[in-house]
């Protein structure tokens, strides 16, 4: 049976803004308080989706979550009409108003961890939404991600949906931003790589400046729930020093696809040992002797600071119909000399990567999310693809409908003061009400 890797991209919300809510995400902090362009952000993300469709790669749309989350403000002691609620929060706790307006669900890589049915013991596709508990604005996403994924992948014959892990520091879970699946081909058994930032032991190594967000206990829980085992899953710890330099997720410093793994030499603690484990597991899982290509970029060629600025490893690796691989990289990689030189070196090295394309995703990049942050990878058989909700699969008609929708409903600019505008609530709700119809997902949003 044929399998394909579906890219499920987060559609940028009409409330896209730069609030700088994420400690350790240097781009987010650097652009705090600046004006954002929701319209430009959404169109840039849509163009990336369309490019994958043009390349013949299955592409789907993850709808934005309902914002603002005014019930959070009421829970935290604010009261009155919506207008009074927003005004009081803006005066007394603007960071809470920004959190309830956050558009961070656009980064679908954080929405869940996904296990391919070719890997799980029950041969079903498993989803666990990330609890994202280390940031208030992101922790609001977990239950809604669960509900949206159930609407899109609703057939219980093929899809298993687990609840988010407990919202406890023992189980901090940041989703697929810390997950990579390596395989000879998507239909063949794969190797699940899960990266964590900390473990709950007194003597364990941790970063000193920024928080490590993903726990070893969370990766172990995912392995159990998704019916994986030691033969096809490995857990590695992020290098604490790299977290302190802005590597808040593993997908900022490593990316893998099929039989190619690209990573910086400062991605993992005890990296040489981890790479040896990966190679040995790979050889056991692939009896046909398909080679695994591991390209490790040295700090001499690209230091961690430039890695974070360029988001080279937050590029997407894509397999073309020819069997060759393409690197879909952010425009910042073309503009930065060191990152561009690394890419040029990779293209002439002995590996499947033969092409690169650069995409303008500046609006997302300014908030700390590149091409890979915007998408959740879902490996699907043809049968599973047919069993999911078809209304979110990108087609020329849907692409054009979403273009018109964005141009009609989105503001050109949105700054911190605009979050106090009560008209923004109605604008967002009206836009999402239309989107329900476009994606054929009636009742997706609870407009209360």
């Amino acid at each position: 049976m044929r399998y394909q890797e579906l890219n499920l991209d987060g559609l940028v919300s009409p409330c896209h803004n730069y609030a700088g809510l994420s400690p350790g995400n240097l781009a987010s902090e650097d652009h705090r308080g600046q004006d954002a362009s929701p319209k430009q952000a959404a169109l840039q993300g849509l163009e990336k989706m369309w490019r994958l469709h043009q390349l013949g790669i299955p592409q789907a749309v993850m709808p934005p979550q309902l914002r603002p989350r005014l019930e959070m403000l009421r829970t935290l002691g604010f009261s009155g009409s919506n207008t009074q609620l927003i005004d009081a929060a803006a005066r007394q706790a603007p960071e809470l108003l920004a959190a309830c307006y956050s558009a961070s669900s656009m980064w679908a890589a954080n929405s869940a961890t996904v296990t391919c049915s070719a890997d799980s013991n029950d041969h079903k596709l498993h989803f666990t939404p990330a609890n994202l508990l280390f940031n208030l604005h992101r922790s609001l996403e977990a239950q809604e991600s669960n509900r949206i994924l159930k609407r899109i992948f609703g057939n219980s014959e093929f899809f298993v949906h687990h609840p988010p892990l407990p919202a406890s520091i023992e189980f901090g879970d940041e989703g697929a931003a810390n997950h990579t699946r390596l395989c000879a081909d998507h239909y063949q058994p794969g190797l699940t790589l899960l990266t964590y930032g900390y473990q709950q032991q007194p003597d364990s190594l941790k970063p000193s400046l920024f928080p490590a967000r993903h726990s070893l206990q969370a990766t172990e829980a995912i392995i159990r729930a998704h019916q994986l085992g030691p033969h096809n899953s490995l857990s590695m710890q992020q290098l604490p020093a790299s977290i302190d330099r802005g590597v808040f997720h593993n997908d900022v410093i490593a990316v893998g696809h099929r039989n190619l793994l690209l990573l910086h030499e400062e991605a993992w603690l005890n990296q040489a040992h981890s790479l040896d484990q990966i190679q040995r597991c790979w050889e056991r899982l692939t009896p046909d002797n398909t080679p695994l290509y591991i390209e490790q970029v040295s700090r001499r060629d690209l230091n961690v600071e430039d890695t974070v600025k360029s988001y080279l490893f937050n590029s997407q690796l894509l397999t073309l119909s020819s069997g060759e691989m393409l690197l879909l990289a952010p425009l910042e990689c073309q503009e930065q000399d060191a990152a561009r030189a690394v890419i040029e070196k990779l293209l002439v090295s002995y590996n499947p990567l033969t092409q690169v394309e650069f995409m303008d995703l500046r609006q997302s990049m300014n908030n700390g999310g590149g091409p890979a942050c915007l998408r959740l990878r879902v490996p699907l058989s043809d049968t599973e693809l047919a069993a999911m909700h078809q209304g979110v699969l990108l087609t020329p008609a849907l692409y054009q409908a979403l273009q018109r929708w964005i141009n009609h409903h989105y503001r050109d600019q949105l700054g911190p003061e605009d979050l106090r505008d009560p008209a923004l609530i109605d604008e967002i709700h009206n836009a999402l009400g239309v989107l329900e119809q476009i994606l054929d997902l009636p009742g997706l949003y609870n407009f209360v």
Side-chain angles (χ1 to χ4, degrees), residues 63-131:
Q65 297 192 5
L66 181 62
R67 295 293 182 270
R69 292 288 295 271
L70 297 182
E71 79 279 6
M72 182 194 78
L73 296 181
R74 297 188 189 279
T75 298
L76 297 175
F78 296 95
S79 60
S81 66
N82 287 349
T83 299
Q84 293 170 328
L85 202 68
I86 288 171
D87 183 66
R91 286 184 287 104
Q92 299 175 37
E95 71 284 357
L96 295 181
L97 180 62
C100 81
Y101 260 114
S102 173
S104 55
S105 68
M106 62 192 275
W107 294 305
N110 294 120
S111 63
T113 303
V114 182
T115 290
C116 179
S117 59
D119 299 341
S120 61
N121 285 340
D122 63 357
H123 303 297
K124 290 188 177 184
L125 188 68
H126 288 252
F127 297 86
T128 295
N131 58 32

Side-chain angles (χ1 to χ4, degrees), residues 142-152 443-446:
Q143 295 300 334
E144 197 164 356
S145 292
N146 194 18
R147 188 173 57 80
I148 290 172
L149 288 168
K150 285 180 176 179
R151 287 291 300 271
I152 295 174
L444 181 65
Y445 300 107
N446 181 22

Side-chain angles (χ1 to χ4, degrees), residues 251-321:
D251 67 2
V252 177
I253 202 164
V255 59
H257 171 73
R258 291 187 55 168
N259 64 330
L260 176 60
L261 176 63
L262 306 181
L263 76 167
H264 193 276
E265 69 172 335
E266 297 183 65
W268 293 322
L269 191 66
N270 302 319
Q271 188 153 303
H273 174 67
S274 293
L275 294 178
D276 182 62
Q277 283 186 303
I278 290 169
Q279 186 64 53
R280 285 189 279 112
C281 284
W282 175 267
E283 290 170 1
R284 289 196 298 268
L285 283 170
T286 52
D288 60 355
N289 296 319
T290 300
L292 174 64
Y293 300 92
I294 299 176
E295 295 281 3
Q296 190 172 203
V297 177
S298 74
R299 66 175 70 90
R300 293 187 304 276
D301 290 336
L302 186 70
N303 61 39
V304 173
E305 288 76 14
D306 285 342
T307 294
V308 172
K309 289 176 183 176
S310 68
Y311 262 39
L312 168 60
F313 296 96
N314 203 256
S315 302
Q316 289 181 244
L317 284 170
L318 306 165
T319 298
L320 305 176
S321 58

